[in-house]
Amino acid sequence: MISTGVHASFDTAALQAADAAHFLHPFSDHTGFLEKGARVIVRGDGIYIWDSENKQILDGMSGLWCVNVGYGRTSITQAVAKQMDTLPFYNSFFHTSNVPAIELAATLTALAPPGFNKVFYTGSGSEANDTIVRMVRRYWHLQDQPARQTIISRVNAYHGSTIAGASLGGMAGMHAQMGTVLGGIVHIGQPDYVHAGQGMTQDQFGVHAAGWLEDKIRELGPENVAAFIGEPVQGAGGVIIPPATYWPEIQRICDKYGILLIADEVICGFGRLGAWFGSTVLGIRPDLIAFAKGVTSGYVPLGGVLVGDRVADVLIQQGGEFNHGFTYSGHPVACAAALENIRILVDEQLIERVAGATGPYLKGAFAALATHPLVGYADSLGMVAGLNLVRVKGATVHDNVPFDAKLGVGMICRGHMFDCGVVMRAVGERMIVAPPLVMTCAQIDEMAGRIRNALDLTLAEVKARGML
Ligand SMILES: *Cc1c(COP(=O)(O)O)cnc(C)c1O
């Protein structure tokens, strides 16, 4: 039978066979599983994970952008166990509540930017964005401006995998498989300097890319536009770090036309960019904030919406009952995990450390990796970073010669990263990391060393296969 436990040994082949036979994985091409079994992860500690062959791997992606306090936090385990013993579940519908959900709501609104005094809980980031679509449309109805229906998002945005989340998102591959994308959602370009900033400085490009929002609002008619949604830094779209001028200009445009601004902080929240919320770092004053992932460091699923006063006051004072909610909204066990996770972030001053020490150190490490012959561009902010693999390096980033996308050089590189003991994600030919916030400067050096080894192996392979 399949065994578990810290020191257990595993029958990898049997696990892989059972996995391939029965487990339909998210975002995975299952034809591949039949030839090469899944990598089975069996335990974690700090910034490391181990697979069923007992290979240690440095987790450069914090699981899936979420394990901010690292693996093996027994105080979270204890908080969860205690809550399960006391009250494993009760709902928060129909005027009932529970202690962890109350305490967490007070905690989150205290940590949030000014003007946020209400939380709506969900089970995930996707559900948070679904909730936001409902709230935004209800808000404009209550404001007697029902024509304001359209939500403007961006190409390559990721806002989740439910119908509303995927529709808000700008992933062409997801839209192509959906049949009908939810109506009333349109997309503008992403602030991707490498691919769209030719002939401009970063600052010029930031204002230029924000201008696409104003163009779209004028095209639609401002009286029809409900909201703009964006990740402060696009995550799954490839860690697209916008120029410093971008978000202040987006904010100015939203203010000018009275449009609600939604920050999807599912990745950027809870310290990732060196502040509780990425909005603070990038000059965004949102009306609604979606959160999930880092709120519990992924130990237990939880998401939610921080609702700013502008929207909350209307929904509460004019709206009556909001006909929306999830069985697990305000789940006491998930909220207990979040409270302990937040206590760790505070007590260990992890967010201050990202802002003042490890974030800048990671930036330096990626600047050094940019000297590698395969790397045409590298950047970072807080604890996210990315580098672009290029065939030929030019004098500027816009003179680089890219690889033919069909060669799949990013995926080749990702394979070498695993072999060199580091998880790095490939988005096309952009290689990205989002390490746990507990990572030290010494561990950043260790990660960068593994990345450099994998880049050398990738270079050797693309040379040998005539791809250069
Ligand atoms: C992961 C993610 C989501 C979706 O969250 P789930 O918990 O997977 O539903 C939404 N927005 C962003 C920015 C994300 O990274």
Side-chain angles (χ1 to χ4, degrees), residues 320-392:
E321 182 172 330
F322 183 42
N323 298 316
H324 177 76
F326 303 102
T327 301
Y328 299 134
S329 290
H331 195 291
V333 175
C335 292
L339 284 165
E340 179 55 20
N341 177 61
I342 290 168
R343 189 201 60 75
I344 292 171
L345 289 169
V346 172
D347 284 5
E348 298 182 11
Q349 299 186 306
L350 291 173
I351 297 177
E352 291 83 346
R353 203 167 93 183
V354 169
T358 49
Y361 198 83
L362 182 66
K363 190 182 270 304
F366 267 66
L369 287 169
T371 61
H372 192 276
L374 267 187
V375 179
Y377 182 75
D379 59 351
S380 87
L381 182 65
M383 289 302 256
V384 291
L387 54 83
N388 296 47
L389 304 176
V390 297
R391 193 162 70 81
V392 182

Coordinates of all heavy atoms in Angstrom, one line a residue, residues 320-392:
G320 N -29.4 45.4 1.5 CA -30.1 44.3 2.1 C -29.3 43.1 2.0 O -28.0 43.1 2.1
E321 N -29.9 41.9 1.9 CA -29.1 40.7 1.9 C -28.3 40.5 0.6 O -28.9 40.7 -0.5 CB -30.1 39.5 2.0 CG -29.4 38.1 2.1 CD -30.3 37.0 2.5 OE1 -31.3 37.2 3.2 OE2 -30.1 35.9 2.0
F322 N -27.1 40.2 0.7 CA -26.2 39.9 -0.5 C -26.4 38.4 -0.7 O -25.9 37.6 0.1 CB -24.8 40.3 -0.2 CG -23.8 40.1 -1.4 CD1 -24.2 40.4 -2.7 CD2 -22.6 39.6 -1.1 CE1 -23.3 40.3 -3.7 CE2 -21.6 39.5 -2.2 CZ -22.0 39.8 -3.5
N323 N -27.0 38.0 -1.8 CA -27.3 36.6 -2.0 C -26.2 35.8 -2.6 O -26.1 35.4 -3.8 CB -28.5 36.5 -3.0 CG -29.8 37.1 -2.4 OD1 -30.1 37.0 -1.2 ND2 -30.5 37.9 -3.2
H324 N -25.2 35.6 -1.8 CA -23.9 35.0 -2.2 C -23.2 34.5 -1.0 O -23.2 35.1 0.0 CB -23.1 36.1 -2.9 CG -21.7 35.7 -3.4 ND1 -21.6 34.9 -4.5 CD2 -20.5 35.9 -2.9 CE1 -20.3 34.7 -4.7 NE2 -19.6 35.3 -3.7
G325 N -22.5 33.3 -1.2 CA -21.7 32.8 -0.1 C -21.3 31.4 -0.3 O -21.9 30.7 -1.2
F326 N -20.3 30.9 0.4 CA -19.8 29.6 0.2 C -19.9 28.8 1.6 O -19.8 29.4 2.6 CB -18.3 29.6 -0.2 CG -18.1 30.4 -1.5 CD1 -17.6 31.6 -1.5 CD2 -18.5 29.8 -2.7 CE1 -17.5 32.3 -2.7 CE2 -18.3 30.5 -3.9 CZ -17.8 31.8 -3.9
T327 N -20.2 27.5 1.5 CA -20.2 26.7 2.7 C -19.0 27.0 3.6 O -19.2 27.1 4.8 CB -20.3 25.2 2.3 OG1 -21.4 25.0 1.5 CG2 -20.3 24.3 3.6
Y328 N -17.9 27.1 3.0 CA -16.6 27.3 3.8 C -16.2 28.7 4.0 O -15.1 29.0 4.4 CB -15.5 26.5 3.1 CG -15.9 25.0 3.1 CD1 -15.7 24.2 1.9 CD2 -16.4 24.4 4.2 CE1 -16.0 22.9 1.9 CE2 -16.7 23.0 4.1 CZ -16.5 22.3 3.0 OH -16.9 21.0 3.0
S329 N -17.1 29.7 3.7 CA -16.8 31.1 4.0 C -16.6 31.3 5.5 O -17.5 31.0 6.3 CB -17.9 32.0 3.5 OG -18.1 32.1 2.1
G330 N -15.4 31.7 5.9 CA -15.1 31.9 7.3 C -14.9 30.5 8.0 O -15.2 30.4 9.2
H331 N -14.3 29.6 7.3 CA -14.1 28.3 7.9 C -13.2 28.4 9.1 O -12.1 29.0 9.0 CB -13.4 27.3 6.9 CG -13.4 25.9 7.3 ND1 -12.7 25.4 8.4 CD2 -14.1 24.8 6.8 CE1 -13.0 24.1 8.5 NE2 -13.8 23.8 7.6
P332 N -13.6 27.9 10.3 CA -12.8 28.2 11.5 C -11.4 27.6 11.5 O -10.5 28.3 12.0 CB -13.7 27.6 12.6 CG -14.7 26.7 12.0 CD -14.9 27.2 10.6
V333 N -11.2 26.5 10.9 CA -9.9 25.9 10.9 C -9.0 26.7 10.0 O -7.8 27.0 10.3 CB -10.0 24.4 10.4 CG1 -8.6 23.8 10.2 CG2 -10.8 23.6 11.4
A334 N -9.5 27.1 8.8 CA -8.7 27.9 7.9 C -8.3 29.2 8.5 O -7.2 29.7 8.4 CB -9.4 28.1 6.6
C335 N -9.3 29.8 9.2 CA -9.0 31.1 9.9 C -8.0 31.0 11.0 O -7.2 31.9 11.2 CB -10.3 31.8 10.3 SG -11.4 32.2 9.0
A336 N -8.1 29.9 11.7 CA -7.1 29.6 12.8 C -5.7 29.5 12.2 O -4.7 30.0 12.7 CB -7.4 28.4 13.6
A337 N -5.6 28.8 11.0 CA -4.3 28.7 10.4 C -3.8 30.1 9.9 O -2.6 30.4 10.1 CB -4.4 27.8 9.1
A338 N -4.7 30.9 9.4 CA -4.3 32.2 9.0 C -3.8 33.1 10.1 O -2.8 33.8 10.0 CB -5.5 32.9 8.3
L339 N -4.5 33.0 11.3 CA -4.1 33.8 12.4 C -2.7 33.4 12.9 O -1.8 34.3 13.2 CB -5.1 33.6 13.6 CG -6.4 34.4 13.4 CD1 -7.4 33.9 14.4 CD2 -6.2 35.9 13.6
E340 N -2.4 32.1 12.9 CA -1.0 31.7 13.3 C 0.0 32.1 12.3 O 1.1 32.5 12.6 CB -1.0 30.2 13.6 CG 0.3 29.6 14.0 CD 1.0 30.3 15.3 OE1 0.3 31.0 16.0 OE2 2.2 30.2 15.4
N341 N -0.3 32.0 11.0 CA 0.6 32.4 9.9 C 0.9 33.8 10.0 O 2.1 34.2 9.9 CB -0.1 32.1 8.6 CG 0.7 32.5 7.4 OD1 1.8 32.0 7.2 ND2 0.1 33.4 6.6
I342 N -0.1 34.7 10.3 CA 0.2 36.1 10.4 C 1.0 36.4 11.7 O 1.9 37.3 11.6 CB -1.2 36.9 10.4 CG1 -1.8 36.8 9.0 CG2 -1.0 38.3 10.9 CD1 -3.3 37.2 9.0
R343 N 0.7 35.6 12.7 CA 1.6 35.8 13.9 C 3.0 35.6 13.6 O 3.9 36.3 14.0 CB 1.1 34.9 15.1 CG 1.8 35.2 16.4 CD 1.8 34.1 17.4 NE 2.5 32.9 16.9 CZ 3.8 32.7 16.8 NH1 4.6 33.7 17.2 NH2 4.3 31.6 16.4
I344 N 3.3 34.5 12.8 CA 4.7 34.2 12.5 C 5.3 35.4 11.6 O 6.4 35.8 11.9 CB 4.8 32.9 11.7 CG1 4.4 31.7 12.6 CG2 6.1 32.7 11.1 CD1 4.2 30.4 11.9
L345 N 4.5 35.8 10.6 CA 5.0 36.9 9.8 C 5.4 38.1 10.6 O 6.4 38.8 10.3 CB 4.0 37.3 8.7 CG 3.7 36.3 7.6 CD1 2.5 36.6 6.8 CD2 4.9 36.2 6.6
V346 N 4.6 38.4 11.6 CA 4.8 39.6 12.5 C 6.0 39.4 13.4 O 6.9 40.1 13.4 CB 3.5 40.0 13.3 CG1 3.8 41.0 14.3 CG2 2.4 40.4 12.4
D347 N 5.9 38.2 14.1 CA 6.9 38.0 15.2 C 8.3 37.8 14.6 O 9.3 38.3 15.2 CB 6.5 36.8 16.0 CG 5.4 37.1 17.0 OD1 4.9 38.2 16.9 OD2 5.1 36.2 17.8
E348 N 8.4 37.2 13.5 CA 9.7 37.0 12.9 C 10.1 38.1 11.9 O 11.2 38.1 11.3 CB 9.8 35.6 12.2 CG 9.5 34.5 13.1 CD 9.6 33.1 12.5 OE1 10.0 33.0 11.3 OE2 9.2 32.1 13.2
Q349 N 9.3 39.1 11.9 CA 9.6 40.3 11.1 C 10.0 40.0 9.6 O 10.9 40.5 9.0 CB 10.6 41.2 11.7 CG 10.2 41.7 13.1 CD 11.2 42.6 13.7 OE1 12.4 42.3 13.8 NE2 10.7 43.8 14.1
L350 N 9.2 39.0 9.1 CA 9.6 38.5 7.8 C 9.4 39.5 6.7 O 10.2 39.6 5.7 CB 8.8 37.2 7.5 CG 9.3 36.0 8.4 CD1 8.3 34.8 8.1 CD2 10.7 35.6 8.1
I351 N 8.4 40.3 6.8 CA 8.1 41.3 5.8 C 9.1 42.4 5.8 O 9.6 42.8 4.7 CB 6.6 41.8 5.9 CG1 5.7 40.6 5.7 CG2 6.3 42.9 4.9 CD1 4.2 40.8 5.9
E352 N 9.5 42.8 6.9 CA 10.5 43.9 7.0 C 11.8 43.3 6.4 O 12.6 44.1 5.8 CB 10.8 44.2 8.5 CG 9.6 45.0 9.2 CD 8.5 44.1 9.7 OE1 8.5 42.9 9.4 OE2 7.7 44.6 10.5
R353 N 12.1 42.0 6.7 CA 13.3 41.4 6.2 C 13.3 41.4 4.6 O 14.3 41.7 4.0 CB 13.4 40.0 6.7 CG 14.8 39.5 6.7 CD 14.9 38.2 7.6 NE 14.7 37.1 6.7 CZ 14.7 35.8 7.2 NH1 14.8 35.6 8.5 NH2 14.6 34.8 6.4
V354 N 12.1 41.1 4.1 CA 12.0 41.1 2.6 C 12.3 42.5 2.1 O 13.1 42.7 1.1 CB 10.7 40.6 2.1 CG1 10.5 40.9 0.6 CG2 10.5 39.1 2.4
A355 N 11.7 43.5 2.7 CA 11.8 44.9 2.2 C 13.2 45.4 2.4 O 13.8 46.0 1.5 CB 10.9 45.8 3.0
G356 N 13.9 45.1 3.5 CA 15.1 45.7 3.8 C 16.4 44.8 3.5 O 17.5 45.4 3.4
A357 N 16.2 43.5 3.4 CA 17.4 42.7 3.3 C 17.3 41.7 2.2 O 18.1 41.8 1.2 CB 17.7 42.0 4.7
T358 N 16.4 40.7 2.3 CA 16.4 39.6 1.3 C 15.9 40.0 0.0 O 16.4 39.5 -1.1 CB 15.7 38.4 1.9 OG1 14.4 38.8 2.3 CG2 16.4 37.7 3.0
G359 N 15.0 41.0 -0.1 CA 14.5 41.4 -1.4 C 15.6 42.1 -2.2 O 15.9 41.7 -3.3
P360 N 16.3 43.1 -1.6 CA 17.4 43.7 -2.3 C 18.5 42.7 -2.6 O 19.1 42.8 -3.7 CB 17.9 44.8 -1.3 CG 16.7 45.1 -0.5 CD 15.9 43.8 -0.4
Y361 N 18.7 41.7 -1.8 CA 19.8 40.7 -2.0 C 19.4 39.9 -3.2 O 20.2 39.5 -4.1 CB 20.0 39.9 -0.8 CG 21.3 39.1 -0.8 CD1 22.5 39.8 -0.4 CD2 21.4 37.8 -1.2 CE1 23.7 39.1 -0.4 CE2 22.6 37.1 -1.2 CZ 23.7 37.8 -0.8 OH 24.9 37.1 -0.9
L362 N 18.1 39.5 -3.3 CA 17.6 38.7 -4.4 C 17.8 39.5 -5.7 O 18.2 39.0 -6.8 CB 16.2 38.3 -4.2 CG 15.5 37.5 -5.3 CD1 16.1 36.1 -5.4 CD2 14.0 37.4 -5.1
K363 N 17.5 40.8 -5.7 CA 17.7 41.6 -6.9 C 19.2 41.6 -7.3 O 19.5 41.4 -8.5 CB 17.3 43.1 -6.5 CG 17.2 44.0 -7.7 CD 16.9 45.4 -7.3 CE 15.4 45.7 -7.3 NZ 14.7 45.5 -8.5
G364 N 20.1 41.7 -6.4 CA 21.5 41.6 -6.7 C 21.9 40.2 -7.3 O 22.6 40.2 -8.3
A365 N 21.3 39.2 -6.8 CA 21.6 37.8 -7.3 C 21.1 37.7 -8.7 O 21.8 37.1 -9.5 CB 21.0 36.8 -6.4
F366 N 20.0 38.2 -9.0 CA 19.4 38.1 -10.4 C 20.2 39.0 -11.3 O 20.4 38.7 -12.5 CB 17.9 38.3 -10.4 CG 17.2 37.0 -10.3 CD1 17.3 36.3 -9.1 CD2 16.5 36.5 -11.4 CE1 16.7 35.0 -9.0 CE2 15.9 35.2 -11.3 CZ 16.0 34.5 -10.1
A367 N 20.6 40.2 -10.8 CA 21.5 41.1 -11.7 C 22.7 40.3 -12.1 O 23.2 40.4 -13.2 CB 21.8 42.4 -11.0
A368 N 23.3 39.5 -11.1 CA 24.5 38.8 -11.4 C 24.2 37.7 -12.4 O 25.0 37.4 -13.3 CB 25.1 38.2 -10.1
L369 N 23.0 37.0 -12.3 CA 22.7 36.0 -13.3 C 22.5 36.5 -14.7 O 22.6 35.8 -15.7 CB 21.4 35.3 -12.8 CG 21.5 34.3 -11.6 CD1 20.1 33.9 -11.1 CD2 22.3 33.1 -12.0
A370 N 22.2 37.8 -14.8 CA 22.0 38.4 -16.1 C 23.3 38.5 -16.9 O 23.2 38.7 -18.1 CB 21.4 39.9 -15.9
T371 N 24.4 38.2 -16.3 CA 25.7 38.1 -17.0 C 25.8 36.8 -17.8 O 26.7 36.7 -18.6 CB 26.9 38.3 -16.1 OG1 26.9 37.2 -15.1 CG2 26.8 39.6 -15.3
H372 N 25.0 35.8 -17.4 CA 25.1 34.5 -18.1 C 24.8 34.7 -19.6 O 23.9 35.4 -20.0 CB 24.1 33.5 -17.4 CG 24.4 32.1 -17.9 ND1 23.8 31.6 -19.0 CD2 25.1 31.1 -17.3 CE1 24.2 30.3 -19.1 NE2 25.0 30.0 -18.1
P373 N 25.5 34.0 -20.5 CA 25.3 34.1 -21.9 C 23.8 33.8 -22.4 O 23.4 34.3 -23.4 CB 26.3 33.2 -22.6 CG 26.9 32.4 -21.5 CD 26.7 33.1 -20.2
L374 N 23.1 33.1 -21.6 CA 21.7 32.8 -22.1 C 20.7 33.8 -21.6 O 19.5 33.8 -22.0 CB 21.3 31.4 -21.5 CG 21.4 30.1 -22.3 CD1 20.8 29.0 -21.5 CD2 20.9 30.3 -23.7
V375 N 21.1 34.7 -20.7 CA 20.1 35.5 -20.0 C 20.1 36.9 -20.6 O 21.2 37.6 -20.5 CB 20.4 35.6 -18.5 CG1 19.4 36.5 -17.8 CG2 20.3 34.2 -17.9
G376 N 19.0 37.3 -21.2 CA 18.9 38.6 -21.8 C 18.4 39.7 -21.0 O 18.4 40.9 -21.3
Y377 N 17.7 39.4 -19.9 CA 17.1 40.4 -19.0 C 16.8 39.7 -17.7 O 16.4 38.5 -17.7 CB 15.8 40.9 -19.7 CG 15.0 41.9 -18.9 CD1 15.4 43.2 -18.9 CD2 13.8 41.6 -18.3 CE1 14.7 44.2 -18.3 CE2 13.1 42.6 -17.6 CZ 13.6 43.9 -17.6 OH 12.9 44.9 -16.9
A378 N 16.9 40.4 -16.6 CA 16.5 39.8 -15.3 C 16.0 41.0 -14.5 O 16.6 42.1 -14.5 CB 17.7 39.2 -14.6
D379 N 15.0 40.7 -13.7 CA 14.5 41.7 -12.7 C 13.9 41.1 -11.5 O 13.6 39.9 -11.6 CB 13.6 42.8 -13.4 CG 12.4 42.1 -14.1 OD1 12.3 40.9 -14.1 OD2 11.5 42.9 -14.5
S380 N 13.6 41.9 -10.5 CA 13.0 41.3 -9.3 C 12.4 42.4 -8.5 O 12.7 43.6 -8.7 CB 14.0 40.5 -8.5 OG 14.7 41.4 -7.6
L381 N 11.4 42.0 -7.6 CA 10.8 43.0 -6.7 C 10.4 42.2 -5.5 O 9.7 41.2 -5.6 CB 9.6 43.7 -7.3 CG 8.9 44.7 -6.4 CD1 9.9 45.9 -6.2 CD2 7.6 45.2 -7.1
G382 N 10.9 42.6 -4.3 CA 10.6 41.8 -3.1 C 11.1 40.3 -3.3 O 12.2 40.1 -3.8
M383 N 10.2 39.4 -3.1 CA 10.6 38.0 -3.3 C 9.9 37.4 -4.5 O 9.4 36.2 -4.5 CB 10.3 37.1 -2.0 CG 11.2 37.5 -0.9 SD 13.0 37.2 -1.3 CE 13.3 35.7 -0.4
V384 N 9.9 38.1 -5.6 CA 9.6 37.5 -6.9 C 10.8 38.0 -7.9 O 11.3 39.1 -7.7 CB 8.3 37.9 -7.6 CG1 7.1 37.3 -6.8 CG2 8.1 39.4 -7.7
A385 N 11.1 37.1 -8.8 CA 12.2 37.5 -9.7 C 12.0 36.7 -11.0 O 11.4 35.6 -11.0 CB 13.6 37.2 -9.1
G386 N 12.6 37.2 -12.1 CA 12.5 36.4 -13.3 C 13.7 36.8 -14.2 O 14.3 37.8 -14.0
L387 N 14.0 35.8 -15.1 CA 15.0 36.1 -16.1 C 14.6 35.5 -17.5 O 13.8 34.5 -17.5 CB 16.4 35.6 -15.7 CG 16.5 34.1 -15.3 CD1 16.7 33.2 -16.5 CD2 17.7 33.9 -14.3
N388 N 15.0 36.2 -18.5 CA 14.6 35.8 -19.9 C 15.7 35.1 -20.6 O 16.8 35.7 -20.8 CB 14.1 37.1 -20.7 CG 12.9 37.8 -20.1 OD1 12.9 38.0 -18.9 ND2 12.0 38.1 -20.9
L389 N 15.4 33.9 -21.1 CA 16.4 33.2 -21.9 C 16.3 33.7 -23.3 O 15.3 33.8 -23.9 CB 16.1 31.7 -21.9 CG 16.0 31.0 -20.5 CD1 15.5 29.6 -20.6 CD2 17.3 31.2 -19.7
V390 N 17.5 34.0 -23.9 CA 17.5 34.5 -25.2 C 18.6 33.8 -26.0 O 19.6 33.3 -25.5 CB 17.8 36.1 -25.3 CG1 16.7 36.8 -24.6 CG2 19.2 36.4 -24.7
R391 N 18.4 33.7 -27.4 CA 19.3 33.0 -28.2 C 20.6 33.9 -28.4 O 21.7 33.4 -28.3 CB 18.7 32.8 -29.6 CG 19.4 31.8 -30.5 CD 18.5 31.3 -31.6 NE 18.2 32.3 -32.6 CZ 19.0 32.7 -33.6 NH1 20.2 32.1 -33.7 NH2 18.7 33.6 -34.5
V392 N 20.4 35.2 -28.6 CA 21.6 36.1 -28.8 C 21.3 37.4 -28.0 O 20.2 37.9 -28.1 CB 21.8 36.5 -30.3 CG1 23.0 37.4 -30.4 CG2 21.9 35.3 -31.2

